[in-house]
Amino acid sequence: MSAKQVETLMDRIVSLCKRRGYVFPSSEIYGGLSSCWDYGPLGAELKRNLKTFWWNAMTSRRDDVEGVDAAILMHPQVWHTSGHVTEFNDPMVDCKTCKGRFRADKLEECRCLNKPSKTPLECGGELTEVRQFNLMFKTHMGPVADDSNEVFLRPETAQGIYVNFLNVKNSSRQKIPFGIAQIGKAFRNEITPSNFIFRTREFEQMEMQYFVYPDEDEKWFEYWRQERWEWYKALGINMEKLRWHEHGKDELAHYAKAAYDIEYEYPFGWQELEGVHNRTDFDLTRHMDAVKKDLRYFDEARKEKFLPYIIETSAGCDRTLLTLLVDAYDEMEIKGEKRVFLRLSPKVAPIKAAVLPLVKKDGMPEFAEKVFADLKKRFKVFYDVAGAVGRRYARMDEAGCPYCVTVDGQTLEDNTMTVRDRDTMEQTRMTTAELMAFLDEKVNG
Ligand code: GAP
């Protein structure tokens, strides 16, 4: 795909997101704020469904993983101990010509400010020496803004889990191996945020830390790689567009012994979607040394005290949501008209079904309203009477709604409605009870 086509496809996805209420530029009436985005009605619903899908798989449906919801602001010493203050840096260069500031290791993804069709490698501008730039946002706690009350916005949710390791173990009485999961906001002052919601400065992570015997780390590392791969399959992602990338020695984060990324083929190329890391006992050792308290786990079975190794699965929520949108986006020409389809799985689609009376008379709206009232007790559904039924189908296809339920003349005779499948366009007649069971299977099955 050429650079021009890539831009066009991403532009069309961004435009659909705005049009249908998935994602809006943040503070748009003030001209927007670079790299910040707001989720609209459908986006907020999709994000909530995605997080629930992750939470159910990683926590609710397992008896070996507990959930937490830790504070974004943590004791500043946490970030010194974890190595983020000294090592969480990206290499940065400035262009003396256009005055742009770019990530030195991603210059091919950056655009010259004077010649946006060229990268800083191509435009002929003079670049400075590489400098290290720390990615953490700082703020101050309390009324006085000085160094003594400096705090950081967390750049990852993981540390909120490590500092609570003993609290969770003691309160839940879990035994190794067990995990702690968390979904929450993280902040990174990225030098070059890019590609819509792919790389932003404020984002959400879905992380799980699994505590294991040090001599079983490799077994659990493989186990969690497999689990996470299967999760994307269950989410309905096109698996042809996913691949593993093993981190070489020069790529490994300061805390990792081994790491694999799950990468997705976005319109702008293969990029990291999630990381699975073997963090060893790096974090717990550093925290134990810093606080001078015994954070070790006593193992009844082995009769020994030790710091467990940690296998981490770390996914970006916004990045997974972008993956869902890119993966679902489809265009087709129907009877000479270009139509957009958002082929989201019913498991995460914001609206599960639309209820449409064929015409606004003959008792059809009354029947349809009753069906709508019954369905909305269990599912997020939408009622639409406005316009020709073909137009209404088209609107719902674009909004990612998998099923349209139409009340027509026959409904009034035998209580059945047509249920149109967005992807096959096949129509099947069902009663309300059959429709309920059908949606239950598709959404929760
Ligand atoms: N606790 C480990 C950790 O944070 P990471 O590879 O730096 O590892 C994990 O981040 C995931 O978080 C990434 O795979 C990505 O999905 C998401 N992520 C990281 N930085 C991001 C950013 N600036 N914008 C959106 N998502 C981001």
Side-chain angles (χ1 to χ4, degrees):
M1 222 181 266
S2 74
K4 191 147 185 264
Q5 279 172 318
V6 168
E7 273 173 21
T8 315
L9 177 55
M10 276 311 286
D11 287 348
R12 292 203 296 269
I13 292 172
V14 173
S15 156
L16 169 81
C17 284
K18 171 96 195 284
R19 195 164 68 241
R20 287 292 165 209
Y22 274 94
V23 184
F24 307 129
S26 164
S27 336
E28 193 183 12
I29 57 171
Y30 284 89
L33 179 65
S34 163
S35 99
C36 294
W37 301 91
D38 296 343
Y39 289 90
L42 294 192
E45 203 69 42
L46 175 61
K47 199 176 196 193
R48 216 169 57 89
N49 293 344
L50 172 60
K51 289 195 270 186
T52 303
F53 194 73
W54 185 90
W55 191 262
N56 283 343
M58 299 297 284
T59 306
S60 306
R61 295 199 182 131
R62 304 185 62 107
D63 52 17
D64 60 344
V65 181
E66 305 288 342
V68 294
D69 186 0
I72 288 173
L73 298 176
M74 301 180 72
H75 194 294
Q77 192 56 43
V78 168
W79 305 108
H80 289 277
T81 306
S82 66
H84 283 82
V85 171
T86 48
E87 298 187 50
F88 197 54
N89 302 322
D90 272 344
M92 177 177 79
V93 288
D94 290 315
C95 176
K96 293 182 184 168
T97 317
C98 76
K99 310 289 179 223
R101 185 159 274 186
F102 307 110
R103 222 174 114 168
D105 57 338
K106 302 242 182 243
L107 285 176
E108 64 292 346
E109 289 176 24
C110 302
R111 298 279 129 199
C112 167
L113 299 191
N114 289 343
K115 301 177 194 162
S117 65
K118 296 199 179 336
T119 72
L121 295 167
E122 299 162 339
C123 67
E126 192 191 340
L127 299 177
T128 59
E129 290 291 306
V130 175
R131 284 172 297 141
Q132 293 301 322
F133 174 76
N134 191 275
L135 296 184
M136 282 199 296
F137 277 100
K138 288 180 197 163
T139 185
H140 295 93
M141 206 158 199
V144 184
D146 64 23
D147 289 352
S148 66
N149 59 12
E150 190 173 80
V151 288
F152 302 96
L153 301 190
R154 67 180 176 201
E156 61 169 12
T157 61
Q159 299 299 327
I161 292 179
Y162 304 145
V163 298
N164 277 302
F165 166 65
L166 280 188
N167 281 339
V168 174
K169 186 204 82 87
N170 293 337
S171 57
S172 66
R173 299 170 59 226
Q174 286 281 1
K175 291 194 169 46
I176 275 175
F178 78 94
I180 306 178
Q182 165 158 236
I183 299 177
K185 290 265 185 184
F187 301 83
R188 295 182 189 177
N189 199 3
E190 298 281 358
I191 300 166
T192 27
S194 57
N195 292 318
F196 192 30
I197 53 173
F198 177 81
R199 186 179 299 115
T200 52
R201 295 190 170 115
E202 171 181 346
F203 56 97
E204 263 182 289
Q205 288 187 314
M206 307 185 289
E207 295 199 304
M208 194 279 312
Q209 316 293 325
Y210 204 70
F211 301 86
V212 303
Y213 291 114
D215 56 8
E216 292 186 351
D217 63 332
E218 285 169 21
K219 174 180 104 181
W220 287 110
F221 186 62
E222 285 313 310
Y223 170 86
W224 279 107
R225 279 184 56 202
Q226 190 61 30
E227 284 290 295
R228 296 307 301 146
W229 188 258
E230 293 300 321
W231 184 80
Y232 288 102
K233 212 185 269 180
L235 190 58
I237 299 287
N238 174 2
M239 299 306 281
E240 307 269 291
K241 291 194 158 249
L242 287 185
R243 71 178 185 193
W244 285 106
H245 166 73
E246 183 180 6
H247 281 214
K249 286 219 157 40
D250 53 330
E251 284 174 281
L252 282 176
H254 61 275
Y255 49 72
K257 166 179 162 188
Y260 275 84
D261 290 339
I262 296 179
E263 293 187 335
Y264 181 83
E265 190 180 17
Y266 297 93
F268 42 87
W270 287 96
Q271 295 280 349
E272 172 187 343
L273 168 58
E274 161 157 4
V276 182
H277 313 129
N278 181 347
R279 290 180 79 131
T280 68
D281 57 1
F282 175 89
D283 299 273
L284 290 181
T285 303
R286 301 265 297 230
H287 286 304
M288 188 162 88
D289 290 348
V291 297
K292 308 217 173 342
K293 287 184 191 145
D294 191 359
L295 302 182
R296 285 176 303 165
Y297 172 87
F298 178 71
D299 188 68
E300 293 284 353
R302 296 190 181 187
K303 299 275 180 263
E304 58 179 357
K305 252 185 163 187
F306 59 92
L307 284 178
Y309 270 33
I310 294 170
I311 307 303
E312 169 182 68
T313 71
S314 178
C317 179
D318 311 77
R319 204 171 277 187
T320 311
L321 192 142
L322 175 65
T323 310
L324 283 171
L325 291 172
V326 166
D327 210 58
Y329 186 88
D330 191 17
E331 291 172 355
M332 270 170 69
E333 199 161 299
I334 300 178
K335 296 187 186 141
E337 190 193 346
K338 193 184 98 183
R339 293 265 313 273
V340 173
F341 292 80
L342 202 54
R343 304 193 188 281
L344 292 169
S345 155
K347 290 174 188 164
V348 289
I351 299 171
K352 308 300 182 191
V355 181
L356 321 170
L358 185 63
V359 289
K360 277 194 232 171
K361 56 181 184 180
D362 301 333
M364 290 183 211
E366 290 76 7
F367 194 102
E369 278 166 26
K370 169 82 179 64
V371 173
F372 176 62
D374 287 343
L375 288 181
K376 81 174 171 193
K377 288 179 198 149
R378 298 197 36 211
F379 307 101
K380 177 83 182 160
V381 284
F382 184 73
Y383 182 73
D384 191 5
V385 281
V389 76
R391 284 274 110 228
R392 283 181 272 164
Y393 284 158
R395 282 200 293 265
M396 297 321 296
D397 292 340
E398 206 182 63
C401 172
Y403 304 107
C404 284
V405 178
T406 308
V407 171
D408 57 15
Q410 193 178 323
T411 313
L412 306 173
E413 290 164 21
D414 64 5
N415 289 326
T416 65
M417 299 150 280
T418 63
V419 179
R420 171 185 172 275
D421 184 305
R422 175 198 61 210
D423 300 335
T424 62
M425 295 206 191
E426 273 172 21
Q427 303 204 7
T428 315
R429 296 205 75 89
M430 294 183 202
T431 61
T432 308
E434 286 166 343
L435 174 59
M436 261 326 175
F438 172 82
L439 284 181
D440 191 36
E441 165 63 22
K442 296 291 180 188
V443 174
N444 305 316

